[in-house]
Amino acid sequence: MSIKDNLLIGQMLIEQGIIIPEQLEAGLREQKKTNEFICSALVRLGFASEESILSVLSKQLNIPYIKIKEIDISPDVVTKIPAKFVFHYKLMPIKIGGNVLTCAVTDPLNIQIIDDMKLLLGFEIKTVLAGEKDIQESIHKYYGVGAETLEKMVSEKKGQEDITHLSAKTEDLEALTEDASVIKFVNQILFKAVQERATDIHIEPFEDELKVRFRIDGILYATTIPSTIKYFYLAIISRIKIMAQLNIAERRLPQDGRIKVKVGDYELDLRVSIVPTVFGESAQIRILSQQSLLELEKLGLSSEDLKVFDSVIRLPHGIIFVTGPTGSGKTTTLYAALKRINSQELKIITIEDPVEYQLSGITQIQVLPKIGLTFANGLRSVLRHDPDVLMVGEVRDYETAEIAIRSALTGHLVFSTLHTNDAAGAITRLLDMGLEPYLISSSLECLIAQRLVRLICNNCKTKVKPNKQILEELGFQGDIANIELFEGKGCEACKFTGYKGRTAIYEIIRLNDEIRQMILSKSSSQDIKKKAVQQGMKTLLLDGWQKVLQGLTTISEVVRVTQKEALPEDI
């Protein structure tokens, strides 16, 4: 765009009171450095919102201003316009009528783009205005992540024939993984996952397609990827293997590795798992960030539970179990506890599989079962290192459980996890492993069960009427007219899910003489839970219900992650 055009647009914005002359001068100086559209420079400098600028341009230039998210674009339009054009010119095709192609652009005065598109595509071009972010998100939605990269790879004839041939030649496949296009595509997937707040990436081969899915707030979502990705599946998997320092020639056995990358300002630790399937190797990438390490106050504990938890993690000895299924946030809770008590006066050692986060000042050990470094063997060894606090990643067998409990009896504070449905169920699990009731009763200090629930998106939170049927099924006896509940309608900020972010719900059993006596008499977990509730314990459902009343989450979300149980009659 010429200086004259920039000045023309700037003058329009000044006349409409969007910016002042000094801001235009600053924007022009910035635009000269970056060679971007003047409006983009003004928005980036914070002088005006994109919507206010485009609204003025729409009126002044008599060009419609649209929001692409509100429009359904036909697949026929997308297939007729190559990805390389939309990515290069930063535009989005909207519709085709006869020989006229309507495109959404941010820079309506850039005649060169219009002339190039006419020449290259053979269409008459009609432009409408749209926000830059809106256009970028629409390109990813309709064309898929890395579409222009895959299109370039296809054009260079790295297609089905080559990949089939490469499947037998590791040295050729290794060379292909160093191709700039393959590297760029894998980086684009990683960047998109981080941008979407994903915790996991799943790359899954099937008979006729390759799927890429992101896990966001605990739920898996399919990611739009061009269908041509299936032709480069071997190269993509091999590139991930090389980044994780795995053997690309081995395709019959599972492999695990790690990758350290920097995305923007964030340093990420990626945990890679490759497993062979019927249709090829499937890759799962867990995204770990130091930002995930939370303070105890940010875990979702109520004020009463926080006091209990804070007191038990400062005990001189005993064992504390955090229970729940895989992905319920147990490790995050344990790390927050260790971070809270970490000091120069304490020797803290952890034995984990795997070590997910590196904690400063804490000795962390990765178990290696192949060479005999199991939880049990590691635990025996670290006891000779004079620890004050131990963290055992998971108690899976009698041997580990016995050593952990005897460590608690000999003056150590021990943290660990168990896979049980509720807090009281941990006692039954330990008894089933073969531990003597007197050992459990003497060493156990606290049992914590937890689940993760999605938080209502604050951007689209709206008040809703309580569902009488669901409340009756949960055993609610009160007047629903006095209940104020909320849900997320769905918006751009939450990707139209109604949820953004997660918090935890808890139930905590602090052992006392009565419960210890019940363990000695081998009472059932149901009886122990009932006694704990009588003594004031909040169940997972009740803790979740309180978060529903606080407007943090929804009833359906709490029911999704908890067992079917009734609310107490006195709530």
Side-chain angles (χ1 to χ4, degrees):
M1 179 179 283
S2 66
I3 296 174
K4 183 179 178 181
D5 288 336
N6 284 325
L7 286 170
L8 174 64
I9 289 175
Q11 197 58 44
M12 290 180 188
L13 297 174
I14 290 172
E15 288 173 1
Q16 295 298 316
I18 303 298
I19 59 172
I20 58 176
E22 291 78 12
Q23 290 174 331
L24 175 59
E25 290 176 13
L28 289 171
R29 286 195 298 271
E30 186 67 19
Q31 189 270 337
K32 284 181 182 178
K33 295 177 188 176
T34 60
N35 201 30
E36 63 187 319
F37 182 37
I38 181 62
C39 293
S40 299
L42 292 170
V43 171
R44 188 163 50 78
L45 291 171
F47 295 152
S49 69
E50 188 175 57
E51 188 171 354
S52 63
I53 289 176
L54 293 180
S55 296
V56 169
L57 291 184
S58 174
K59 292 176 184 176
Q60 295 293 319
L61 301 176
N62 197 27
I63 299 175
Y65 170 45
I66 65 166
K67 293 188 177 181
I68 306 179
K69 286 185 175 65
E70 299 173 357
I71 298 173
D72 287 327
I73 300 173
S74 169
D76 293 336
V77 176
V78 176
T79 54
K80 285 182 181 177
I81 312 302
K84 62 183 179 183
F85 290 134
V86 299
F87 277 90
H88 178 72
Y89 292 113
K90 295 180 182 177
L91 54 81
M92 183 66 203
I94 302 298
K95 66 178 180 179
I96 296 175
N99 196 42
V100 178
L101 170 65
T102 302
C103 291
V105 299
T106 55
D107 183 356
L109 298 182
N110 194 330
I111 305 301
Q112 184 179 346
I113 291 179
I114 297 172
D115 290 342
D116 286 351
M117 293 291 285
K118 281 183 182 178
L119 180 65
L120 294 167
L121 298 175
F123 287 102
E124 291 296 319
I125 306 298
K126 178 183 175 183
T127 58
V128 293
L129 282 172
E132 187 174 348
K133 185 181 177 184
D134 204 6
I135 289 174
Q136 290 289 353
E137 289 182 356
S138 297
I139 290 173
H140 284 300
K141 176 182 176 181
Y142 288 100
Y143 284 89
V145 179
E148 86 288 7
T149 306
L150 286 175
E151 200 172 77
K152 179 184 175 185
M153 291 160 70
V154 170
S155 69
E156 291 172 356
K157 297 182 181 179
K158 291 174 181 173
Q160 178 69 54
E161 314 81 33
D162 294 322
I163 293 301
T164 304
H165 177 65
L166 287 169
S167 65
K169 290 191 174 184
T170 301
E171 64 273 15
D172 290 342
L173 190 58
E174 189 171 20
L176 181 57
T177 60
E178 296 303 319
D179 183 282
S181 296
V182 175
I183 293 171
K184 181 180 178 183
F185 180 75
V186 173
N187 289 345
Q188 285 172 326
I189 289 179
L190 294 175
F191 181 77
K192 184 67 175 175
V194 172
Q195 196 178 41
E196 300 265 326
R197 300 182 298 107
T199 55
D200 299 85
I201 304 169
H202 294 262
I203 302 175
E204 306 159 307
F206 294 94
E207 186 173 8
D208 298 317
E209 64 177 332
L210 185 70
K211 285 186 177 180
V212 178
R213 295 192 288 172
F214 295 160
R215 189 178 295 279
I216 303 169
D217 292 335
I219 305 295
L220 274 174
Y221 296 95
T223 302
T224 304
I225 294 288
S227 60
T228 49
I229 189 178
K230 63 186 177 183
Y231 300 137
F232 307 99
Y233 144 72
L234 281 175
I236 292 164
I237 295 293
S238 297
R239 173 60 190 167
I240 293 169
K241 283 184 178 180
I242 285 176
M243 293 173 71
Q245 299 182 340
L246 302 177
N247 181 3
I248 68 167
E250 180 56 74
R251 299 174 200 159
R252 301 164 302 168
L253 296 172
Q255 296 187 72
D256 295 312
R258 303 182 85 102
I259 305 170
K260 283 208 168 185
V261 295
K262 188 172 183 181
V263 178
D265 297 329
Y266 307 121
E267 284 192 7
L268 303 174
D269 192 8
L270 309 180
R271 196 175 78 205
V272 178
S273 177
I274 308 286
V275 294
T277 71
V278 174
F279 298 109
E281 290 178 294
S282 177
Q284 188 268 348
I285 303 173
R286 170 67 57 87
I287 302 172
L288 302 171
S289 168
Q290 290 299 319
Q291 284 194 319
S292 301
L293 287 176
L294 301 175
E295 301 293 335
L296 216 55
E297 290 81 3
K298 296 179 181 179
L299 292 177
L301 290 157
S302 65
S303 57
E304 302 87 15
D305 286 344
L306 180 59
K307 288 177 183 177
V308 173
F309 193 33
D310 198 34
S311 65
V312 297
I313 65 174
R314 299 180 188 279
L315 292 172
H317 53 77
I319 189 163
I320 299 164
F321 279 109
V322 180
T323 75
T326 300
S328 59
K330 300 186 298 295
T331 302
T332 300
T333 297
L334 287 179
Y335 277 152
L338 294 179
K339 187 177 177 183
R340 180 65 153 250
I341 63 174
N342 189 17
S343 68
Q344 292 288 345
E345 292 76 33
L346 291 177
K347 171 74 172 180
I348 303 175
I349 302 179
T350 73
I351 306 169
E352 306 172 60
D353 183 22
V355 175
E356 293 195 4
Y357 300 98
Q358 294 178 357
L359 302 172
S360 177
I362 293 176
T363 303
Q364 295 173 271
I365 299 170
Q366 167 78 52
V367 301
L368 296 167
K370 289 181 181 178
I371 61 171
L373 181 53
T374 61
F375 279 117
N377 290 338
L379 196 47
R380 284 194 192 94
S381 298
V382 299
L383 287 173
R384 295 191 285 271
H385 277 249
D386 187 32
D388 298 294
V389 179
L390 293 167
M391 195 268 269
V392 183
E394 183 184 346
V395 168
R396 300 173 180 170
D397 51 54
Y398 169 78
E399 190 179 15
T400 307
E402 185 190 34
I403 299 169
I405 283 181
R406 290 193 183 278
S407 300
L409 290 172
T410 54
H412 303 89
L413 181 62
V414 182
F415 296 90
S416 192
T417 69
L418 281 169
H419 285 102
T420 62
N421 290 326
D422 58 9
I427 296 168
T428 305
R429 178 64 52 84
L430 293 171
L431 289 169
D432 289 343
M433 286 181 183
L435 290 169
E436 294 295 332
Y438 74 90
L439 287 176
I440 302 171
S441 175
S442 303
S443 61
L444 200 54
E445 292 292 342
C446 187
L447 294 166
I448 303 163
Q450 70 175 79
R451 299 288 190 278
L452 292 177
V453 293
R454 292 180 291 173
L455 292 167
I456 299 170
C457 173
N458 284 323
N459 198 54
C460 60
K461 182 190 285 189
T462 54
K463 188 177 177 180
V464 294
K465 292 182 178 179
N467 187 314
K468 186 178 180 180
Q469 182 180 347
I470 293 177
L471 289 177
E472 286 177 351
E473 287 176 3
L474 292 175
F476 181 73
Q477 304 292 327
D479 184 2
I480 65 170
N482 297 325
I483 299 176
E484 190 173 71
L485 303 181
F486 295 87
E487 286 182 1
K489 289 172 60 180
C491 64
E492 293 179 27
C494 62
K495 303 295 180 186
F496 299 95
T497 63
Y499 298 98
K500 188 174 182 181
R502 289 189 292 177
T503 190
I505 56 175
Y506 293 89
E507 65 180 33
I508 299 177
I509 297 178
R510 179 73 166 91
L511 269 74
N512 54 30
D513 291 340
E514 283 186 81
I515 293 178
R516 291 185 198 279
Q517 189 58 48
M518 293 180 76
I519 295 173
L520 287 171
S521 59
K522 294 188 177 181
S523 298
S524 67
S525 60
Q526 290 86 351
D527 289 339
I528 292 173
K529 182 173 184 176
K530 188 175 180 181
K531 174 60 71 174
V533 169
Q534 290 173 0
Q535 294 175 349
M537 182 195 81
K538 286 185 299 183
T539 63
L540 287 167
L541 182 61
L542 180 55
D543 193 34
W545 172 250
Q546 291 183 350
K547 286 179 170 62
V548 169
L549 295 179
Q550 292 166 16
L552 297 175
T553 189
T554 62
I555 293 176
S556 59
E557 184 66 9
V558 172
V559 171
R560 181 180 69 86
V561 301
T562 58
Q563 290 180 293
K564 291 183 179 179
E565 55 182 277
L567 289 163
E569 295 181 4
D570 58 347
I571 65 166

